Amino acid sequence: MDYNAALDAAINRLHEEGRYRTFIDIQRIRGAFPKAMWRRPDGTEKEIVVWCGNDYLGMGQHPAVLSAMHEALDETGAGSGGTRNISGTTVYHKALEAELADLHQKEAALVFTSAFIANEATLSTLPRLFKDIVIVSDGLNHASMIEGIRHGRAEKHIFRHNDLAHLREILEGIEPGRPIVIAFESVYSMDGDFGPIREICDLADEFGALTYIDEVHAVGMYGPRGAGVAEAQGLMDRIDIINGTLAKAYGVMGGYIAASAKMCDAIRSYAPGFIFTTSLPPAVAAGAAASVRHLKGDQRLREMHQTAARTLKARLKAIGLPFIDHGSHIVPVIVGDPVHTKKLSDMLLEEYGIYVQPINFPTVPRGTERLRFTPSPVHTPKMMDDLVGALDRLWGHCALNRAEKTA
């Protein structure tokens, strides 16, 4: 076996399809987000504006978060020292879990090193806890949910994205009395559309199923205290397990589930992804707790975030760019070709100092390649002027199709 030849062939396939991914070497600038420094391959630097980051509210730069992290770092040092079972549980971890349980109005919460691990570990562990369980999953669920369901090796069914009739059909075909989990998301990150939470909860009640929701792209940003779309719709009490992240709107790192005390205790006791993973550094846990605590009371920041998203959509519509609008904070501009998408991304970065990562297959279906913008409260009007102007010029330069322009 020529291993190097096999690796070359695999990488070359990506190049040929125009979807080989490169890392952009950037350094965030404290106090100046979304500005950053881009270090080119030749070693030169250029100041850029990040338009594709998941630090949706700029909390990674917030004084309350940085102060909490500095304080914890000075008190405890760098690492946690072990897994949660072996010296890795500190007062900072417990305080963070208490903040998250309060946020979602659940009895308990359990913190993981990432939301990916939280999804994978929890969903793969549920079959250990409930004999003969059936997991019914939305067709566009995140890769972490798919991996968790696959690793759990339980019977699974996939319902067409947000298709309630198809979900009902699947549920009706499951033998009565078997445990069921319906797994879905509140905000789907590539199109920015919402899951039909209330209707899924109604079906779960009818068929005696547990509900598992991924609120990763909603926590911090929706609801009176930032608990997500389920809170905004008054439905948190109807969700059995809520998954969230600390690495997006909260601006730090980590993931979690919030659920009943018994559910969290069982996952804590059985999930290998929790048991055998070193816990978050105390400073990270402290910063995350400070961010959650702050955003519970900062509705103005959430309103500014939604205003920024609406403004960008209106500006893009005015110049006829094709984008998807489901009313969320995510703004996907459809290019429809991997080569053009990469070219636009490269030109925006090099010529205009605007960083937006191309999104290609397999993250999105072929033919729907896109630039995914995440406007934030800290993007200034000038930054938005620069972005819209650059897109308008480059769209014409690349001779791409436009939607109907509006005044």
Side-chain angles (χ1 to χ4, degrees), residues 53-83:
N54 285 337
D55 186 357
Y56 290 129
L57 303 178
M59 290 301 294
Q61 306 287 313
H62 197 282
V65 175
L66 300 183
S67 176
M69 294 186 74
H70 279 296
E71 181 179 340
L73 182 66
D74 290 341
E75 288 185 356
T76 69
S80 68
T83 66

Side-chain angles (χ1 to χ4, degrees), residues 114-116 118-119 212-216 219 241-245 255-258:
S114 73
F116 188 109
N119 268 334
Y212 184 107
I213 193 170
D214 180 309
E215 289 256 35
V216 159
V219 290
I241 305 174
I242 298 173
N243 170 276
T245 185
Y256 63 89
I257 60 167

Side-chain angles (χ1 to χ4, degrees), residues 33-73:
F33 181 78
K35 291 183 179 179
M37 293 303 297
W38 169 42
R39 177 163 292 183
R40 297 184 177 95
D42 63 6
T44 60
E45 292 186 340
K46 179 183 179 71
E47 186 176 89
I48 61 172
V49 176
V50 178
W51 276 96
C52 59
N54 285 337
D55 186 357
Y56 290 129
L57 303 178
M59 290 301 294
Q61 306 287 313
H62 197 282
V65 175
L66 300 183
S67 176
M69 294 186 74
H70 279 296
E71 181 179 340
L73 182 66

Side-chain angles (χ1 to χ4, degrees), residues 67-275:
S67 176
M69 294 186 74
H70 279 296
E71 181 179 340
L73 182 66
D74 290 341
E75 288 185 356
T76 69
S80 68
T83 66
R84 289 291 296 274
N85 288 324
I86 306 175
S87 80
T89 296
T90 70
V91 293
Y92 299 101
H93 297 88
K94 300 299 288 185
L96 174 57
E97 288 173 340
E99 287 286 354
L100 293 168
D102 172 75
L103 174 70
H104 293 290
Q105 295 298 287
K106 297 295 184 186
E107 293 177 340
L110 194 63
V111 171
F112 296 77
T113 49
S114 73
F116 188 109
I117 298 299
N119 268 334
E120 195 280 333
T122 303
L123 287 167
S124 66
T125 299
L126 291 177
R128 299 186 182 198
L129 305 175
F130 303 101
K131 185 180 179 181
D132 295 328
I133 195 170
V134 181
I135 300 181
V136 186
S137 174
D138 186 283
L140 289 188
N141 276 344
H142 190 263
S144 58
M145 302 174 77
I146 294 170
E147 287 298 301
I149 294 167
R150 179 182 295 132
H151 292 161
R153 299 182 180 179
E155 180 180 329
K156 68 173 186 252
H157 298 273
I158 311 300
F159 65 95
R160 290 184 293 271
H161 177 54
N162 281 352
D163 189 331
L164 294 166
H166 190 213
L167 174 57
R168 170 178 285 279
E169 179 184 332
I170 291 171
L171 293 171
E172 288 175 341
I174 298 172
E175 181 183 352
R178 291 186 67 181
I180 303 169
V181 172
I182 304 174
F184 62 106
E185 299 185 35
S186 63
V187 179
Y188 290 85
S189 63
M190 287 301 109
D191 285 351
D193 57 329
F194 295 93
I197 302 175
R198 186 181 303 277
E199 293 80 358
I200 289 177
C201 288
D202 289 342
L203 285 170
D205 289 345
E206 181 179 346
F207 289 92
L210 296 174
T211 48
Y212 184 107
I213 193 170
D214 180 309
E215 289 256 35
V216 159
H217 289 276
V219 290
M221 297 172 287
Y222 296 86
R225 298 200 307 159
V229 179
E231 182 194 32
Q233 297 180 1
L235 300 170
M236 275 199 305
D237 62 322
R238 301 185 66 187
I239 303 294
D240 294 294
I241 305 174
I242 298 173
N243 170 276
T245 185
L246 303 166
K248 291 182 170 60
Y250 293 118
V252 192
M253 178 187 173
Y256 63 89
I257 60 167
S260 69
K262 287 183 179 179
M263 182 68 75
C264 288
D265 191 28
I267 298 298
R268 176 189 71 83
S269 301
Y270 280 87
F274 179 86
I275 295 169

Side-chain angles (χ1 to χ4, degrees), residues 232-405:
Q233 297 180 1
L235 300 170
M236 275 199 305
D237 62 322
R238 301 185 66 187
I239 303 294
D240 294 294
I241 305 174
I242 298 173
N243 170 276
T245 185
L246 303 166
K248 291 182 170 60
Y250 293 118
V252 192
M253 178 187 173
Y256 63 89
I257 60 167
S260 69
K262 287 183 179 179
M263 182 68 75
C264 288
D265 191 28
I267 298 298
R268 176 189 71 83
S269 301
Y270 280 87
F274 179 86
I275 295 169
F276 298 105
T277 300
T278 298
S279 65
L280 288 175
V284 172
S291 186
V292 172
R293 193 178 306 118
H294 174 87
L295 283 178
K296 286 177 182 177
D298 199 341
Q299 184 65 8
R300 179 174 173 273
L301 193 60
R302 281 186 281 277
E303 292 170 353
M304 291 170 61
H305 183 222
Q306 293 297 322
T307 298
R310 287 193 298 269
T311 301
L312 178 58
K313 291 173 188 177
R315 302 272 316 258
L316 294 177
K317 186 176 182 180
I319 61 174
L321 264 61
F323 65 93
I324 300 172
D325 183 8
H326 288 288
S328 74
H329 60 283
I330 295 169
V331 186
V333 175
I334 303 300
V335 182
D337 176 86
V339 176
H340 281 144
T341 307
K342 180 67 165 61
K343 183 177 181 181
L344 280 170
S345 174
D346 291 344
M347 294 173 74
L348 283 167
L349 185 64
E350 185 62 57
E351 298 178 20
Y352 296 95
I354 292 170
Y355 174 40
V356 57
Q357 189 72 12
I359 308 294
N360 295 325
F361 179 83
T363 306
V364 295
R366 298 181 193 275
T368 68
E369 292 83 4
R370 65 198 61 185
L371 299 173
R372 177 182 174 275
F373 295 93
T374 53
S376 76
V378 290
H379 284 99
T380 66
K382 182 181 184 305
M383 290 175 183
M384 194 168 292
D385 287 343
D386 293 342
L387 171 64
V388 174
L391 283 171
D392 194 17
R393 288 187 288 273
L394 290 179
W395 217 260
H397 175 80
C398 295
L400 297 172
N401 291 330
R402 297 190 190 237
E404 182 179 350
K405 293 185 179 183

